[in-house]
Amino acid sequence: MKTATNPFIPPAGGATQADLARPVSTSTVPSILPGLALAAAIAVAAYLARSIPGLGAFSPMILAIVIGMAFHNLVGTPKLARPGIVFSLRRLLRGAIILLGFQLTFGQIASVGAQGLLIIVATVVATFVCTVYAGRVLGVDRKLTELIAAGTSICGASAIIATNTVTDAHDEDVAYAIACVTIFGSIAMFTYPLLSGILQLGPQAYGLWSGASIHEIAQVAAASFQQGQHAGEIGTVVKLGRVSLLAPVVLALNLKARLSAGHAAVKGARPPLPWFVLGFIAVVGLNSTIAIPPEGTKMIATLTTFLLTVALAAMGLETDISRLYARGLRPAILGAVAFLFIATFCLTLVKLTG
């Protein structure tokens, strides 16, 4: 006798990137429409939720994964939506990361200056290495540690979901890492402006500190512009400089994974090259050589954010809170350690360089 299956029962656990790589009926447009429509509807709901008092400080990406998780764990994600969810987590995500390149030019990176670039690179590298080491000491899973390290050192949620294309962690790990950078980035957003006077930081130094150490772009803008237009502009440009390091970090992690797979001599174990990262670099080059009207740039930025929001909504639709809860407090402690390290390390460099 056959057992009836409930199409709304949530899956037993979050999917890894390897799971997403398995053949799914995504070859036809009708098959992906239900899941894509559901993820897009949640993305729209996330944008609308920002009008609620107290939620405007959060990016729609953060709200989308929360709403998606709530839907998945309270209602259940229909099996019919699976192909569209896979499409969102695979195709839409990579396309959005490529489009991120339109928000950056090599000229903007150069405008930070040699000293600023040195601070950015040193902060990103030191924070990533310190977080990975602290993760080992705390006994946090390596994959989750790498996600928290990337989100803290580079650019929050965008870096986490890009890094996971190589790290291949479960969706619960991604959700946990995003929660960490959201919480501690929000703390930085509110505390940095209060500390600028105590630390005797001028607009230039404050903008450099906030841009090089706060997690999300939106959080950087909210914190840095509170100290004036100049501080806000510096903070934004410095933050974009950090975003440019997303490509080399993902490529370095991919190389590390491929070398590890090669040493293990496991046939077919090497992860594929993240070609979308090369697309990101190519788009930055294109944006640096072709003048795009401000209206066009704004439209592309809006589209990019929406696509990332849809991808994170899809991720929420695959995330089980019970498995997230099972991760315990150690990853949260790691997120706090990473946050305190990047804030103090970057501030020390800013002070030392005057």
Side-chain angles (χ1 to χ4, degrees), residues 3-350:
T3 302
T5 58
N6 187 342
F8 286 90
I9 294 178
T16 64
Q17 294 299 321
D19 295 329
L20 298 179
R22 293 176 187 146
V24 185
S25 57
T26 56
S27 57
T28 62
V29 172
S31 68
I32 68 173
L33 283 180
L36 183 59
L38 178 58
I42 291 175
V44 172
Y47 275 90
L48 295 175
R50 298 186 73 234
S51 62
I52 299 175
L55 297 183
F58 297 98
S59 73
M61 292 185 289
I62 303 302
L63 297 176
I65 194 171
V66 171
I67 297 173
M69 287 170 59
F71 184 93
H72 175 72
N73 289 273
L74 296 177
V75 179
T77 304
K79 289 185 178 180
L80 183 65
R82 175 65 179 168
I85 290 173
V86 172
F87 176 82
S88 300
L89 288 172
R90 186 191 301 166
R91 307 297 183 187
L92 285 189
L93 174 58
R94 285 160 174 75
I97 293 172
I98 291 173
L99 289 178
L100 274 175
F102 282 110
Q103 300 182 32
L104 184 67
T105 66
F106 293 127
Q108 288 174 321
I109 299 174
S111 69
V112 176
Q115 181 175 292
L117 288 175
L118 179 61
I119 291 176
I120 293 171
V121 173
T123 299
V124 168
V125 173
T127 301
F128 196 97
V129 172
C130 172
T131 305
V132 170
Y133 175 77
R136 291 175 183 169
V137 173
L138 290 170
V140 179
D141 178 75
R142 176 187 62 81
K143 294 181 179 181
L144 179 52
T145 294
E146 289 183 355
L147 296 182
I148 293 174
T152 302
S153 62
I154 307 173
C155 56
S158 299
I160 290 170
I161 56 181
T163 300
N164 197 48
T165 60
V166 173
T167 300
D168 190 27
H170 283 283
D171 289 339
E172 286 78 19
D173 289 339
V174 176
Y176 203 128
I178 290 176
C180 284
V181 299
T182 300
I183 292 170
F184 296 113
S186 297
I187 291 174
M189 180 176 65
F190 290 112
T191 58
Y192 271 40
L194 301 176
L195 293 173
S196 63
I198 299 174
L199 298 173
Q200 298 181 341
L201 296 174
Q204 179 86 12
Y206 176 77
L208 181 56
W209 181 44
S210 60
S213 61
I214 297 180
H215 303 53
E216 294 274 356
I217 291 179
Q219 294 165 345
V220 170
S224 59
F225 275 101
Q226 290 191 51
Q227 300 302 308
Q229 183 70 23
H230 182 61
E233 292 174 352
I234 293 295
T236 302
V237 171
V238 169
K239 180 60 178 178
L240 290 175
R242 277 171 73 194
V243 174
S244 69
L245 295 180
L246 176 62
V249 168
V250 172
L251 289 174
L253 287 174
N254 177 263
L255 177 61
K256 174 178 173 289
R258 290 172 68 83
L259 289 175
S260 298
H263 291 322
V266 179
K267 185 177 180 180
R270 292 194 178 191
L273 283 171
W275 297 109
F276 68 94
V277 175
L278 302 181
F280 168 83
I281 297 172
V283 169
V284 173
L286 178 65
N287 195 39
S288 302
T289 55
I290 298 177
I292 300 177
E295 296 80 8
T297 301
K298 185 176 181 180
M299 288 179 60
I300 294 173
T302 301
L303 175 62
T304 302
T305 302
F306 182 74
L307 292 179
L308 286 173
T309 303
V310 172
L312 280 177
M315 189 166 291
L317 290 169
E318 293 229 326
T319 301
D320 290 321
I321 292 179
S322 60
R323 292 174 65 90
L324 185 62
Y325 179 77
R327 298 301 191 272
L329 285 177
R330 290 187 180 184
I333 295 173
L334 177 61
V337 170
F339 162 59
L340 292 174
F341 179 86
I342 194 172
T344 55
F345 182 84
C346 182
L347 177 63
T348 300
L349 290 183
V350 170

